[in-house]
Each structure stands twice: as structure tokens, then as C-alpha cells.
Amino acid sequence: MIHGVKYILRGVLTAALVCMMLPLSGCIGSTAENDRTDEITTAAVSGETIDSVEDEMMTDIKGMLYNGYDKLSESSELARDGADVYNLYMAKNEAEGCQLALRSTKRYGSLSLDATYDDGAPELTIYKESFVSAGDDYLPDALAPFGGKLTLLADRNAVLYLRFTADSEIAAGDYSYSITLKDKDEVLYSCTVNVHVMDFALPDTLSCATAVGLYKDSIAAKHNVSDPDEIDRLYKAYYDLMLEYKVTAYDLPYDILDERADAYMSNTRVTSFRVPTCDGDDARLEAIYDKLKSNPEWLDKAYFYPLDEPTSREMLDTLASMCERLNKIAPEVKVCTPFFRNIDYDNNTDQIGFMTGKTTLWCPKSYMYVTSNVYSAAQLEKYPSFGERMAERKAAGDKVWWYVCWEPGDPYNNLFVDQLGVQHRILFWQQYAHDVDGFLYWGANYWNGTSDPWGDMATVKQLSPDVYGDGSLLYNGNIVGVDGCTPSLRLAAIRDGVEDFELLAMAARLYGDDWVAEKIAEITPSLTQYTTDSARFDEVRRSIYEAVETAMKK
């Protein structure tokens, strides 16, 4: 039985169509080559002649299949020998993507794109990538709904994101997808994606916790709504979309005491949730704690977040006062404190020492694992390395997450629009290598600094006008006819990173920590050393898949 592709039909307005309605200067990116795409693009060959009308029809539209995380700018030429066959590997209970770039020397309107595949194959969902300004070029980020019709602009790339989703019950083996681009009945381009599903499944319960800010005020502003019930409804839609990508927002869609919250707290994809501190209302906090204690799974996911990034003695004293109250009322709920400095509290105690016994969910900025970044010269002489101290806290029963925000930048990995896609995924390999339990990120929809996220991803201009995408992993869907939000290429990379983390955890259980450490070192020997070769990354990742499959069969 042949199946057609499942399109997301909640809106059909693509970036190309938007460009048709805007002045040309508003949608054409820089023609300068971006060095981040050098590995997957080449310059156009000049002086090429066309011998016949038939040859022109055969060569006018070029296509290229490539992995699901590299970023091809809007203006970059496609590789002359761009692949029209792509082989993708995935486990059961996993989603993985690849991309199809299409380019023509002339404009085509309302082309149809069809995909067929065999019965029982992983579900295919196609998105249209939207380009956003990032310095000197336009780079892909938003994943907009694709309704099956495509417009190609002359000498501009149109890129589709193909997401393959395999459930836990799918049969292992090979599946082929035939993709065809047509102008009415005339085939203009065709390609094939071969998906190999490994004979094991990633577990439902995730090893990597996530906690990402999601803000109702940004939702209300960009959707132009003020009714509290409508804002709550949209918040739930945003929250659910994030869960689809294995990312958990700070706050549940419902009050913890609301019985509708129970299903979320029990959901295996919900890895954490923030508990309100209920300042001035101890009785309410006691009621919340009583409910959480009734289910150990809920209690394990719960955390307080009373104070962000303490940087002074006064802030640490405030933290101590808050923790005294919280630990008295709800002693088993972890206290999360993101921090990026290690000040001396007094002559005998540094910040880490002071926070010990108060913070129980440590959340340093990633670069702190390079001890010299945060220790003073005296601290370097006095204390063990930062990593050793976090290991001590874990041995004592605490948990450790880490975070990034508008810093650190290169050479550290982050989630910026203008960083390499492979950097987003490797960030989670580095997290695993440093025995960090979870990933915290301050915002999925911080849009206070931009009037239009679809066109301007310089979201924290007050900190830097050259940081793109900080605190924003989603796009308001009302721009493209979606009742909620749309994901991004970076959100998909986070999902892939979380699943890579799970693959590494499975491999460690089967082969041991040293074996996994050697594999990780092939990709990233340190926080500032890592491959930027996508083919190499995929090769090592595939070798881990194959090793896990071999061990599971035994």
C-alpha cells in the first residue's frame, strides 16, 4: 500500500509567498557566501552553456538532500553534485530529519511536491524553512507549515525540512521515500530518502531533563489577545508543541493543585516543572507539597527557582533566607539556582561553599566547567576544580544541570541562529561528557526585544545587537495561519541532542562509561574543541547506533 505524505495543513503561507508580498529589499538576503555553509555548498560554475531546451528543463531546477541540522543560507549556491539520494539512520521511538534544498535560475509558482512511501514507514511531516536576518546573511530557522505547494524565486534557495518519526512498535528495517516536484503533470525534480530504523527503541523516560522559559506576555503581545482564558489556551498549545520536541517549559499549563495538571506531571516527556514559592502564603505551598509527596515521580520532577544568577553577597544572603523558608515547608523539593560567577562570600567561603546545603539543583553556565573561567587566582590554589566540586555535590545527592544564554559565544557551543547546526547537537554530547543531568534555557519565546520574530532575531539588543535567537526557539504561528506556534530548526536540533544524550546513556549501560567517553572524545575532546564536519559527526553517531543494536540483539 502506498501512502502520501502527511502535510501540516494549519496554514500554507510560506516565506516565499511572504516575499512576493513585500518590497524586494525586504526579503532578499546578502549575496555574500557564509562560511558556515562551505562544507555543503560550492560556488557556481561560470561559462556553462545550454545546448537545448530539453537540457534546460533537465538542469534548471537543482536540488540537494543533506542532514537535518546544517544551515544553508538563502543565497548560497547548491553543490554542483548535490545529492539526490540521502540515507538516514534512526532508532525506534525517535524523530530525525533531513533537508531538501531547491534552487532555480528562474521563478516558478505553485509547484506541487509529492512524497510516497510504503505502508508502515516512519511518519513523514514536511515543513518549509523560513529565513531570518543574521548579520550579513539570511539563515534558516523557523519551520513553517507546508501545504504541498511551493514557489521558487529565481536564484534563491527554498529549503524543506523533512521530519521522520518512528514509534516504538515500528518494524526495524529499511524504508524508501520518493519525493517528486512537479509543474502540473511535468516532473521537474525527484529525489529519494532511505530511512533505516535500527532494531532497538529509545526509552520513553528521558535521561536528560530540560527546563525552558515560556512567557505568556510574549504570547499575548504577538497574538494580539488580552482575554486570560485565550492566553491560557495558547500557552497550552505552545507547551504541547515543545513537548512534541522533548523539551519541557518551566511552568505547567495548569496550576499544580488543578487535577488537569496530573496528566502532565505523569507524562514521561515532562522532565521537570517549577513549583511557585507562594510568597506570603505558606498554607498554599504546604498544600502543593502534600500533593507532590503523594507521587514520588512528581516530587522528583519538581523544583523551586527562587533567585536567578546571584552575583553579590547581598544576593546570596537573600537566597539563604528564601531557602530557609522553602526547605522548612517543602524539604524534598529541589532548589535550582542558575549562576555564572564564583565570588568569595568571605575570607573562608566562596560562592559554591556558601550555596552548598541551600541549593540542591546546581545550574552553572556551561563555560564554568573550564575552571579558569570562574576561579580567581587564589581560588585556583585553594579549591578543587569546578567539575570536581559538582561531582562532589552529585555524590551528596544533589542534581546538576547547566545553561547557556546570550553567552557564551564561540568557541563555546550555544543555540544562536548564526552558529553551526552541529554545534547545537554537540552541546548535549558535552553535557553528557560532564555528567550534567539537565539543560536549562531561559526562554523559548522572548520577543520583547523584537517587533517581528519572523524578520528580526536580534532578541537581546540591550545586551548585544549581534546575538541572534537568544531566548527564542519558537515563532508565533498566527503569521502563517497556525493556532499556536511553529518550531525552529534549533528546536529540532535540541530534540536531536536530547535523543543523542539518550543514545549515549544506553551505550554506557551496555559498554561502560569509558567506551562512551572515547566516542564522545572523537567528536568533542573539550568544551572548546569539537568537529565541525557534519559527515564525521554522523559517522560516529551511526557507529554508536550499530554498537547498541549489536549488544541489544545479544
Side-chain angles (χ1 to χ4, degrees):
M1 181 179 183
I2 300 297
H3 282 205
V5 65
K6 175 188 175 183
Y7 296 118
I8 293 185
L9 295 174
R10 293 174 292 179
V12 187
L13 185 62
T14 66
L17 293 177
V18 171
C19 287
M20 292 168 59
M21 297 185 288
L22 294 173
L24 192 62
S25 62
C27 58
I28 299 299
S30 167
T31 58
E33 288 292 327
N34 189 298
D35 61 5
R36 288 168 173 76
T37 60
D38 286 347
E39 293 176 357
I40 60 172
T41 62
T42 61
V45 177
S46 61
E48 190 173 14
T49 60
I50 299 175
D51 297 326
S52 67
V53 173
E54 180 180 358
D55 287 341
E56 181 178 0
M57 288 305 299
M58 292 175 62
T59 61
D60 179 59
I61 294 180
K62 295 198 299 186
M64 181 174 72
L65 287 165
Y66 54 104
N67 62 56
Y69 51 88
D70 276 332
K71 300 175 185 180
L72 181 69
S73 75
E74 187 180 38
S75 58
S76 295
E77 290 279 354
L78 302 191
R80 181 172 174 79
D81 57 349
D84 56 12
V85 176
Y86 186 78
N87 299 316
L88 184 149
Y89 298 83
M90 64 190 306
K92 301 177 183 180
N93 197 29
E94 183 178 17
E96 190 65 39
C98 69
Q99 298 174 82
L100 170 60
L102 296 164
R103 186 182 181 92
S104 173
T105 57
K106 62 183 180 181
R107 182 188 180 281
Y108 285 89
S110 197
L111 301 179
S112 62
L113 186 130
D114 301 311
T116 56
Y117 48 96
D118 294 333
D119 189 21
E123 179 184 57
L124 170 61
T125 307
I126 301 180
Y127 297 87
K128 173 70 167 60
E129 296 182 15
S130 180
F131 294 88
V132 64
S133 176
D136 295 331
D137 214 337
Y138 280 66
L139 295 174
D141 196 44
L143 300 180
F146 180 64
K149 295 293 184 181
L150 185 67
T151 295
L152 295 183
L153 300 179
D155 299 320
R156 287 292 177 268
N157 296 323
V159 184
L160 301 174
Y161 181 84
L162 284 60
R163 185 182 73 182
F164 302 88
T165 305
D167 62 29
S168 299
E169 304 303 320
I170 193 171
D174 297 307
Y175 300 90
S176 183
Y177 298 73
S178 178
I179 299 169
T180 306
L181 184 70
K182 296 181 179 179
D183 185 2
K184 298 179 181 177
D185 293 328
E186 181 180 9
V187 175
L188 302 179
Y189 174 81
S190 62
C191 61
T192 301
V193 179
N194 298 313
V195 176
H196 180 77
V197 178
M198 310 300 292
D199 196 13
F200 68 90
L202 298 183
D204 290 327
T205 301
L206 300 174
S207 301
C208 176
T210 55
V212 178
L214 183 60
Y215 306 112
K216 289 185 178 181
D217 60 341
S218 287
I219 294 173
K222 292 301 182 278
H223 288 264
N224 194 29
V225 296
S226 57
D227 179 68
D229 291 339
E230 179 63 7
I231 295 171
D232 287 347
R233 187 188 69 80
L234 286 169
Y235 180 91
K236 181 179 181 300
Y238 275 58
Y239 187 100
D240 290 344
L241 188 280
M242 290 172 64
L243 272 192
E244 185 180 330
Y245 283 78
K246 298 186 177 179
V247 174
T248 308
Y250 289 167
D251 301 313
L252 296 167
Y254 302 108
D255 187 290
I256 293 173
L257 294 177
D258 188 323
E259 64 180 12
R260 292 174 296 178
D262 297 4
Y264 280 97
M265 293 190 292
S266 297
N267 188 324
T268 55
R269 289 198 176 188
V270 175
T271 55
S272 68
F273 56 88
R274 181 166 60 177
V275 178
T277 56
C278 304
D279 296 341
D281 192 349
D282 290 359
R284 174 171 170 75
L285 183 55
E286 289 170 357
I288 291 173
Y289 183 53
D290 286 342
K291 179 174 181 176
L292 295 176
K293 287 192 300 181
S294 71
N295 187 316
E297 179 186 351
W298 298 351
L299 190 59
D300 185 60
K301 296 177 181 182
Y303 66 94
F304 292 120
Y305 188 165
L307 186 69
D308 190 45
E309 297 184 329
T311 56
S312 66
R313 179 168 178 161
E314 291 73 23
M315 292 183 72
L316 289 173
D317 286 338
T318 299
L319 175 66
S321 177
M322 291 176 167
C323 290
E324 182 179 8
R325 171 180 173 264
L326 297 174
N327 290 332
K328 180 180 179 180
I329 298 174
E332 294 178 85
V333 176
K334 297 175 291 295
V335 175
C336 177
T337 310
F339 68 112
F340 66 97
R341 293 181 182 174
N342 185 49
I343 67 169
D344 285 314
Y345 181 80
D346 56 33
N347 291 334
N348 300 313
T349 309
D350 68 352
Q351 182 166 339
I352 296 171
F354 182 85
M355 290 169 58
T356 298
K358 304 171 183 67
T359 288
T360 49
L361 200 172
W362 297 79
C363 192
K365 194 172 289 186
S366 63
Y367 67 49
M368 295 183 78
Y369 278 84
V370 178
T371 305
S372 59
N373 285 339
V374 291
Y375 275 17
S376 66
Q379 289 173 343
L380 286 170
E381 295 291 330
K382 190 173 183 179
Y383 300 111
S385 72
F386 183 84
E388 289 173 322
R389 296 179 80 180
M390 291 299 100
E392 290 173 359
R393 297 321 313 150
K394 288 194 68 172
D398 293 350
K399 289 191 176 182
V400 178
W401 294 352
W402 73 5
Y403 76 106
V404 295
C405 53
W406 76 283
E407 59 176 16
D410 289 330
Y412 293 92
N413 293 321
N414 205 310
L415 301 176
F416 303 138
V417 171
D418 55 340
Q419 280 192 323
L420 294 168
V422 73
Q423 289 181 257
H424 311 325
R425 290 188 74 157
I426 290 176
L427 178 62
F428 289 85
W429 291 54
Q430 293 174 338
Q431 178 185 320
Y432 188 91
H434 287 82
D435 197 23
V436 175
D437 305 308
F439 176 74
L440 181 142
Y441 192 63
W442 71 281
N445 68 329
Y446 178 78
W447 299 323
N448 293 358
T450 176
S451 60
D452 176 21
W454 291 83
D456 177 17
M457 269 284 105
T459 50
V460 289
K461 298 178 183 67
Q462 74 278 15
L463 298 174
S464 172
D466 301 318
V467 170
Y468 301 99
D470 183 40
S472 181
L473 303 169
L474 303 171
Y475 288 81
N476 49 309
N478 55 317
I479 297 297
V480 290
V482 173
D483 185 27
C485 60
T486 67
S488 66
L489 203 58
R490 291 172 298 133
L491 184 66
I494 293 174
R495 178 205 61 210
D496 292 336
V498 168
E499 291 175 338
D500 289 347
F501 191 101
E502 202 61 60
L503 178 66
L504 295 170
M506 291 184 71
R509 290 191 290 271
L510 295 167
Y511 291 97
D513 293 334
D514 290 344
W515 186 92
V516 171
E518 290 177 4
K519 287 293 184 181
I520 293 175
E522 292 182 46
I523 297 298
T524 174
S526 73
L527 285 178
T528 57
Q529 294 176 296
Y530 45 87
T531 185
T532 58
D533 183 342
S534 303
R536 177 59 178 157
F537 176 81
D538 288 339
E539 178 186 6
V540 173
R541 181 171 158 271
R542 179 182 172 185
S543 72
I544 299 173
Y545 270 122
E546 292 172 342
V548 169
E549 183 179 59
T550 297
M552 296 287 281
K553 286 182 176 179
K554 293 179 181 179

